[in-house]
């Protein structure tokens, strides 16, 4: 019988130590391998970044050389530009001085002639009053005002003078007047304005706030928000944005007004100038919740903040709501031709709005519109076919063509041909070819079955 030999405690301790050392060596090997891989990855990353930095430095050097060359060319062309500008200013000044000395207004009643004459004279007071008095010709004024203001010696100063004259006057504010000044300010978008003119514009903005501050405060508090005819806040933000006078006003005050009028695309242009970029998200969210997804995308595009929203989700939501509205039209009209036409028109208009939004905001990479364009083409073709069929069917729904109703189209209730036997009066009825009555060879035209007179018949008497 085998007997177990007891193992000394020293040997057990030695074995445990060896096991511990073995585990430690394994862990060290694993750590060494991980560190080696990490350092190799860091080395590759540093190498790639070094190459990218070298490429950026080369590009920067090339751009620097091109910029220096462009500056040299501009510096060389400065004397020529100065001479041309001097001649232009001299000719304008001579023309204006001659007009002022003559003190005679042009006899022509053309809108362009009147506006040009007023702008060349830098008559700011007459300019906005003339536009206000001729509000019925606003379309012509809007077309001609750009060229007329360009003829002024200083267009920016002319616009600021007009604003200051209006604010200082006691004339009651009207919606058309605010629209006129918005039209004036639109002419100065992305144009250089002198520092002195900017300072005067800031003073005008302060006067504007003093005069219409109570109305704007009511808008901020909620009284009048969304009501038509309250453009004081919108015009105030436009003045501040165009002339970059945001430093004269509190940021909180500008943010409050922007939350009310930020849904206007023209106001969204001045988001970064007004330093209210953090409020664009709130405005876009409110517009999206109100069912104005397309307008929300336009506002984010004008503000340069499309990356902070999801245009594809907004467009999908807009199309889904349009589909639900079209189905509601069909259900309310019980599938009648009028309801089908209304649903098709609604769907087609929504498709066109989405296509225009995607193309304007450059969203082709985020939202595919090829299928939508195909559907629009199909809808347009079907509409043209319906118009052609209506032109070929002048007698209404009850009319049946000689070859029968067109296949695949609803032609209204069926109309049966008239019977070929005598009616109660003893006269034959021959459908659309008239009817015969009498004896012998004397006969006259009779009314057809459908109530139309087709002339003499050609059938023998009964």
């Amino acid at each position: 019988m085998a007997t177990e030999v007891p193992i000394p405690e020293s040997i057990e301790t030695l074995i445990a130590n060896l096991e511990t050392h073995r585990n430690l060596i394994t862990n060290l090997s694993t750590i060494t391998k991980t560190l080696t891989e990490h350092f190799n990855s860091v080395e590759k990353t540093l190498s790639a970044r070094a190459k990218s930095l070298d490429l950026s430095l080369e590009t920067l050097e090339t751009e620097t050389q091109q910029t220096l060359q462009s500056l040299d060319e501009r510096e060389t062309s400065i004397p020529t530009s100065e001479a041309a500008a001097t001649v232009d200013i001299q000719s304008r000044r001579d023309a204006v001085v001659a007009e002022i000395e003559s003190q005679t207004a042009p006899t022509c009643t053309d809108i362009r002639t009147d506006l040009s004459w007023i702008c060349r004279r830098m008559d700011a007071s007459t300019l906005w009053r003339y536009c206000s008095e001729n509000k019925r010709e606003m379309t012509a004024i809007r077309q001609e005002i750009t060229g007329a203001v360009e003829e002024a010696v200083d267009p920016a100063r002319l616009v600021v003078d007009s604003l200051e004259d209006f604010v200082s006057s006691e004339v009651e504010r009207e919606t058309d007047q605010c629209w006129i000044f918005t039209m004036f300010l639109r002419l100065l978008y992305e144009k250089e304005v002198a520092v002195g003119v900017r300072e005067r514009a800031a003073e005008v903005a302060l006067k504007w706030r003093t005069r219409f501050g109570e109305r704007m405060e009511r808008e901020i508090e909620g009284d009048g928000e969304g009501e038509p005819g309250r453009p004081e806040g919108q015009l105030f933000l436009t003045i501040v944005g165009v002339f970059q006078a945001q430093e004269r006003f509190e940021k909180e005050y500008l943010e409050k007004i922007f939350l009310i009028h930020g849904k206007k695309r023209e106001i969204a242009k001045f988001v970064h100038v007004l330093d209210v970029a953090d409020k664009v998200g709130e405005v876009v969210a409110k517009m999206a919740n109100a069912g104005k997804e397309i307008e929300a995308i336009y506002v984010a595009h004008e503000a340069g903040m499309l990356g902070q929203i999801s245009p594809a989700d907004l467009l999908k939501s807009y199309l889904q709501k349009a589909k639900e509205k079209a189905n509601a039209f069909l259900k309310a009209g019980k599938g009648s031709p009028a309801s089908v036409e209304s649903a098709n028109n609604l769907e087609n208009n929504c498709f066109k709005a989405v296509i225009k939004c995607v193309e304007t905001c450059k969203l082709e990479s985020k939202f595919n519109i090829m299928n939508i364009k195909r559907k629009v083409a199909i809808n347009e073709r079907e509409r043209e076919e319906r118009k052609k069929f209506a032109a070929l069917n002048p007698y209404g729904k009850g009319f049946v063509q000689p070859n029968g109703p067109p296949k695949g189209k609803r032609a209204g209730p069926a109309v049966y041909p008239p019977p070929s036997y005598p009616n109660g009066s003893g006269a034959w009825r021959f459908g659309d070819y008239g009817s015969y009555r009498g004896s012998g060879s004397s006969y006259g035209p009779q009314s057809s079955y459908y109530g139309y007179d087709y002339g003499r018949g050609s059938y023998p008497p009964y």
Side-chain angles (χ1 to χ4, degrees):
M1 184 175 181
T3 59
E4 295 181 358
V5 179
I7 300 175
E9 295 181 359
S10 59
I11 296 177
E12 292 181 353
T13 304
L14 180 60
I15 292 174
N17 291 335
L18 289 174
E19 186 69 22
T20 302
H21 286 295
R22 186 176 68 84
N23 294 334
L24 181 61
I25 292 172
T26 302
N27 293 336
L28 288 175
S29 301
T30 304
I31 293 172
T32 303
K33 182 179 179 181
T34 303
L35 289 175
T36 302
E37 293 177 354
H38 174 69
F39 284 124
N40 290 335
S41 176
V42 171
E43 185 178 359
K44 291 180 180 179
T45 303
L46 291 176
S47 177
R49 290 186 178 181
K51 292 181 180 179
S52 177
L53 183 60
D54 293 338
L55 181 61
S56 300
L57 289 175
E58 292 178 0
T59 304
L60 180 61
E61 185 177 358
T62 303
E63 292 179 354
T64 303
Q65 294 295 334
Q66 293 177 355
T67 304
L68 291 175
Q69 184 179 359
S70 176
L71 289 175
D72 292 338
E73 293 177 355
R74 290 181 62 183
E75 184 178 1
T76 305
S77 63
I78 284 176
T80 306
S81 301
E82 286 181 351
T86 302
V87 173
D88 184 29
I89 293 174
Q90 184 70 27
S91 61
R92 289 190 180 187
R93 188 186 67 177
D94 295 342
V96 171
V97 170
E99 286 183 356
I100 294 175
E101 291 178 351
S102 64
Q103 294 294 329
T104 57
T107 57
C108 180
T109 58
D110 182 60
I111 297 293
R112 175 61 186 273
T113 304
D114 294 342
L115 289 175
S116 300
W117 185 75
I118 295 171
C119 292
R120 286 197 300 269
R121 291 170 59 91
M122 293 292 290
D123 194 348
S125 177
T126 305
L127 178 61
W128 72 267
R129 286 182 169 84
Y130 175 84
C131 294
S132 180
E133 292 174 358
N134 294 272
K135 61 181 67 176
R136 293 185 178 181
E137 304 291 338
M138 195 57 66
T139 303
I141 291 176
R142 184 172 55 185
Q143 295 175 352
E144 304 294 345
I145 191 64
T146 303
V149 173
E150 290 294 334
E151 295 183 13
V153 177
D154 191 348
R157 186 165 65 87
L158 177 62
V159 173
V160 174
D161 290 344
S162 298
L163 285 166
E164 186 175 13
D165 183 77
F166 170 71
V167 174
S168 302
S169 65
E170 299 297 331
V171 178
E172 183 63 23
R173 200 276 308 159
E174 297 179 1
T175 304
D176 293 333
Q177 294 168 350
C178 289
W179 188 90
I180 289 169
F181 290 118
T182 303
M183 178 180 62
F184 291 167
L185 292 171
R186 193 182 295 118
L187 302 176
L188 303 179
Y189 287 175
E190 300 178 357
K191 287 190 177 181
E192 294 291 336
V193 180
V195 178
V197 177
R198 287 184 180 178
E199 293 178 354
R200 287 194 53 218
E203 297 296 332
V204 172
L206 290 172
K207 293 180 180 179
W208 186 277
R209 179 179 178 180
T210 302
R211 178 174 178 181
F212 301 107
E214 183 178 354
R215 295 185 181 182
M216 291 191 290
E217 289 292 340
R218 288 204 303 267
E219 286 184 347
I220 293 174
E221 294 172 0
D223 178 20
E225 181 178 356
E227 291 184 6
R230 293 227 174 179
E232 294 90 354
Q234 178 183 350
L235 189 54
F236 170 77
L237 290 178
T238 306
I239 297 172
V240 175
V242 169
F243 296 102
Q244 301 181 7
Q246 67 276 9
E247 297 180 356
R248 298 291 190 94
F249 305 94
E250 305 85 0
K251 182 180 178 181
E252 293 77 9
Y253 183 75
L254 296 177
E255 289 178 350
K256 290 178 181 178
I257 302 181
F258 178 79
L259 288 176
I260 299 174
H261 300 279
K263 57 187 177 181
K264 302 291 184 180
R265 295 172 60 181
E266 294 184 352
I267 301 300
K269 293 177 180 290
F270 308 114
V271 165
H272 299 287
V273 176
L274 300 174
D275 195 17
V276 292
D278 54 338
K279 299 297 179 181
V280 175
E282 297 183 24
V283 174
V284 171
K286 288 182 179 179
M287 297 179 70
N289 294 333
K292 299 180 179 179
E293 292 86 354
I294 299 294
E295 291 80 357
I297 294 175
Y298 278 127
V299 168
H301 172 68
E302 295 294 341
M305 305 180 69
L306 276 176
Q308 300 184 12
I309 64 173
S310 179
D313 294 340
L314 292 178
L315 292 173
K316 291 178 182 177
S317 174
Y318 177 77
L319 291 175
Q320 181 64 28
K321 292 179 181 178
K323 184 178 179 181
E324 293 175 357
K325 290 181 181 179
N327 293 334
F329 270 115
L330 291 174
K331 186 175 180 180
K334 297 181 180 180
S336 63
S339 63
V340 172
E341 186 71 19
S342 300
N344 289 338
N345 291 337
L346 173 63
E347 188 179 21
N348 211 31
N349 293 335
C350 293
F351 286 160
K352 290 181 179 179
V354 170
I355 293 172
K356 183 178 179 181
C357 178
V358 172
E359 292 178 350
T360 302
C361 301
K362 310 297 182 183
L363 299 175
E364 290 84 354
S365 61
K366 298 182 179 180
F367 192 83
N368 188 7
I369 57 175
M370 297 304 298
N371 292 333
I372 298 179
K373 288 184 176 181
R374 192 177 299 110
K375 291 180 180 179
V376 170
I378 293 173
N379 291 339
E380 294 291 342
R381 185 167 61 251
E382 291 180 351
R383 179 183 297 178
E384 293 297 329
E385 291 177 357
R386 287 194 296 271
K387 289 183 179 179
K388 291 180 180 178
F389 177 70
L392 295 174
N393 187 14
Y395 302 109
K397 296 182 179 179
F399 176 74
V400 178
Q401 298 181 3
N403 296 329
K407 297 181 180 180
K409 300 287 184 179
R410 295 184 60 184
V415 178
Y416 298 96
S420 58
Y421 51 81
N423 60 8
S425 62
W428 284 90
R429 306 181 75 172
F430 293 96
D432 290 346
Y433 295 98
S435 59
Y436 175 83
R437 181 181 291 115
S439 61
S441 60
S442 64
Y443 61 93
Q446 304 294 332
S447 298
S448 71
Y449 178 73
Y450 291 97
Y452 294 94
D453 188 1
Y454 289 93
R456 293 174 177 264
S458 59
Y459 292 90
Y462 173 63

